[in-house]
Every structure is written in C-alpha cells, then in structure tokens.
C-alpha cells in the first residue's frame, strides 16, 4: 500500500497545479499592487522594437517559475485599458451617438480582443500540441505541452504591436487614409499588410522559443498570403481603412 500511496501523491502534485493556477491568476487581475507594471511596459516597448528579447526572458521565466505562461495578468489588463481608450478616442472623433459609442467600446474589447484572442489561442494551442510537438526519444523524457495560457500570452504579445499600428497610428492617419485617391488606398493597404505580417512574425517567435516544438516556420506562412493579397486589394481599389470605419461608424463619407 505504501508504494501505491506514494505514487498517487507524486502524480497529484503536477496535476493539481494547473487547476489552482487559473483562480490565482484571475484573483490577481483586481489586485494592482501585485502586478509588475514597469516590467509590462518594458515588454510592450520591446515587442515593438526587439521582440526576440522578450521571448528570451520567457526562457528565464520557465527556468524560475517552471511554466511558460505569465503568472502576472498585468499585460492583459493594461492592453485592455489601452485598447478601450483607443476605441473611446475613435468614438469621440467619429461617432455621434453615446449609446452606439458604448456598444462599440464594449463589443470591440470583449469580442475583438478577448473572444477572438481566445479563439486564436485555442486554435494555436490545439495545433501545436497535436501537430508540432517533437516525439519523445524515450519513455524517460518528461512530456511537454503548450499551455493554453501561454498560447493566449503569445496572441496578446502579437496583438500589441498590431494595436499600435491599426488603432493608434491609424487613428492619427485616419483623415488621410479614408480619403479618396490612390495614395490613401496604397497607404492603408500597406499599413494593414505590415500589421498583419508583424502579428504572425511575433506568433512565430512565441512558438519557436519552445524547444519541444518543430516546424514552427508554419506560423510564417500567413505573411506570404498577406504579401500576395495586398497588391491584389490595391489593384481592386479596396481600402481597408474606409471599410472598417464604415463597419464601425457607418458614416456616408466612408461608404461613398
């Protein structure tokens, strides 16, 4: 009986950790004093300038915390706040209904950032664990898997520079980008192409840093699709800035 009890105890420890991690993670969302705000802004800056440095620190986190995912929700919280502020700025400039503005802010935050982010993270989590993991050379090697929360971290990391390009920079350039003419059409498509490409490049870096994954270059393939589609959209006269501004605010000057 003693060996059986010992084995059960040894197995229950690692399994219990993921179950207790999420409540702890969620509790920290409302506790600002437990968040590392300075480190979060450092990550955000380097994701735009030196993203490989951020993922180098991910390796250190694995060595010290024995998990790839962040245990600090500060990045998600701050990114959500910045995202909300940017949407409010768009509503203040282009929306004429307070009720519709509230709807846009809530739907953009919860659907575009959180829900779509969770869907993309779930897809990458499933894809990497089922198709990209290296086969263990022998039964004595501990099996490693991509954590779902790490997949969501990778999405958030990839989303932030995209947010800077398509929400912050786009906001200041929007009077030009929604205008008629070839130059606004060209600039809008180039901006969206760069943002989408950089998102997938950071996605690649996030999974390439995991030593138990192979063929992570598959995450770079969407960049090729973006490069091919961009000139096609330009030649067809499609302006993504005008399209999305019309979807959000339905103003005649963007649809005419």
């Amino acid at each position: 009986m003693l060996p059986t009890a010992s084995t059960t105890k040894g197995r229950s420890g690692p399994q219990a950790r993921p179950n207790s991690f999420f409540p702890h993670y969620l509790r920290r969302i409302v506790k600002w004093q437990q968040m590392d705000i300075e480190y979060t802004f450092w990550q955000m800056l380097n994701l735009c300038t030196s993203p490989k440095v951020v993922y180098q620190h991910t390796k250190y986190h694995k060595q010290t915390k024995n998990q790839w995912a962040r245990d600090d929700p500060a990045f998600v919280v701050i990114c959500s706040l910045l995202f909300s502020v940017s949407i409010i700025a768009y509503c203040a400039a282009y929306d004429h209904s307070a009720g519709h503005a509230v709807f846009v802010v809530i739907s953009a935050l919860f659907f575009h950032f959180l829900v779509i982010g969770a869907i993309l993270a779930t897809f990458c989590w499933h894809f990497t664990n089922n198709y990209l993991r290296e086969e263990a050379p022998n039964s004595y090697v501990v099996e490693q898997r991509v954590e779902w929360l790490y997949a969501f971290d990778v999405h958030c990391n990839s989303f932030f520079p995209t947010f800077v390009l398509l929400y912050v920079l786009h906001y200041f350039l929007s009077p030009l980008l929604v205008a008629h003419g070839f130059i606004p059409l060209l600039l809008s498509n180039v901006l969206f192409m760069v943002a989408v490409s950089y998102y997938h490049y950071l996605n690649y870096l996030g999974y390439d840093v995991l030593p138990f994954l192979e063929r992570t270059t598959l995450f770079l393939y969407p960049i090729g699709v973006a490069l091919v589609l961009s000139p096609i959209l330009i030649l067809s006269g499609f302006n993504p800035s005008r399209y999305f501004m019309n979807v959000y605010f339905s103003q005649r000057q963007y649809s005419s």
Side-chain angles (χ1 to χ4, degrees):
M1 295 299 293
L2 288 177
T4 303
S6 176
T7 303
T8 304
K9 183 178 180 180
R11 290 179 179 176
S12 62
Q15 293 176 351
R17 183 175 180 178
N19 295 330
S20 61
F21 175 73
F22 277 99
H24 173 71
Y25 183 87
L26 294 175
R27 283 196 300 269
R28 293 188 63 180
I29 290 180
V30 295
K31 296 182 179 180
W32 281 91
Q33 64 273 19
Q34 295 185 8
M35 298 183 189
D36 193 340
I37 306 299
E38 182 179 354
Y39 179 64
T40 298
F41 281 113
W42 177 88
Q43 285 183 308
M44 290 178 169
L45 175 62
N46 280 276
L47 284 169
C48 298
T49 58
S50 305
K52 290 184 179 180
V53 175
V54 176
Y55 284 111
Q56 188 64 37
H57 278 252
T58 301
K59 294 181 179 180
Y60 303 150
H61 187 270
K62 171 63 176 176
Q63 295 171 0
T64 57
K65 300 294 183 68
N66 195 30
Q67 66 180 39
W68 293 100
R70 284 188 286 252
D71 57 352
D72 185 355
F75 193 98
V76 176
V77 172
I78 294 176
C79 195
S80 298
L81 291 175
L82 294 176
F83 185 73
S84 299
V85 169
S86 70
I87 298 299
I88 292 173
Y90 273 96
C91 291
Y94 298 106
D95 210 331
H96 300 288
S97 168
H100 183 260
V102 172
F103 170 77
V104 170
V105 172
I106 294 176
S107 62
L109 175 62
F110 285 96
F111 181 72
H112 293 166
F113 177 54
L114 296 177
V115 174
I116 293 182
I119 292 173
L120 291 174
T122 302
F123 171 79
C124 292
W125 167 75
H126 175 80
F127 180 70
T128 51
N129 281 324
N130 287 278
Y131 301 104
L132 300 186
R133 283 193 305 139
E134 293 181 345
E135 293 292 335
N138 55 66
S139 58
Y140 297 100
V141 177
V142 177
E143 183 183 47
Q144 298 190 73
R145 300 181 65 86
V146 178
E147 307 152 4
W148 184 89
L149 193 57
Y150 179 76
F152 188 70
D153 282 346
V154 171
H155 163 73
C156 291
N157 290 346
S158 304
F159 174 82
F160 182 75
T162 305
F163 156 76
V164 172
L165 290 172
L166 295 186
Y167 288 85
V168 180
L169 181 60
H170 185 278
Y171 174 80
F172 293 104
L173 296 179
S174 57
L176 169 63
L177 297 177
V178 299
H180 291 281
F182 178 75
I183 298 300
L185 172 70
L186 176 64
L187 292 178
S188 179
N189 276 279
V190 169
L191 182 62
F192 273 77
M193 184 268 292
V194 171
V196 170
S197 299
Y198 199 67
Y199 174 90
H200 288 288
Y201 172 66
L202 291 188
N203 228 27
Y204 157 74
L205 291 182
Y207 293 105
D208 188 60
V209 76
L210 302 181
F212 55 90
L213 295 183
E214 57 184 3
R215 304 190 308 277
T216 52
T217 52
L218 290 173
F219 287 103
L220 295 175
Y221 286 9
I223 298 178
V225 176
L227 292 175
V228 171
L229 281 180
S230 185
I232 295 176
L233 294 176
I234 293 173
L235 293 175
S236 66
F238 177 76
N239 186 324
S241 296
R242 292 172 61 85
Y243 173 79
F244 285 108
M245 292 291 283
N246 183 60
V247 168
Y248 276 111
F249 304 110
S250 301
Q251 295 190 21
R252 292 181 180 178
Q253 59 263 37
Y254 304 129
S255 58
S256 59

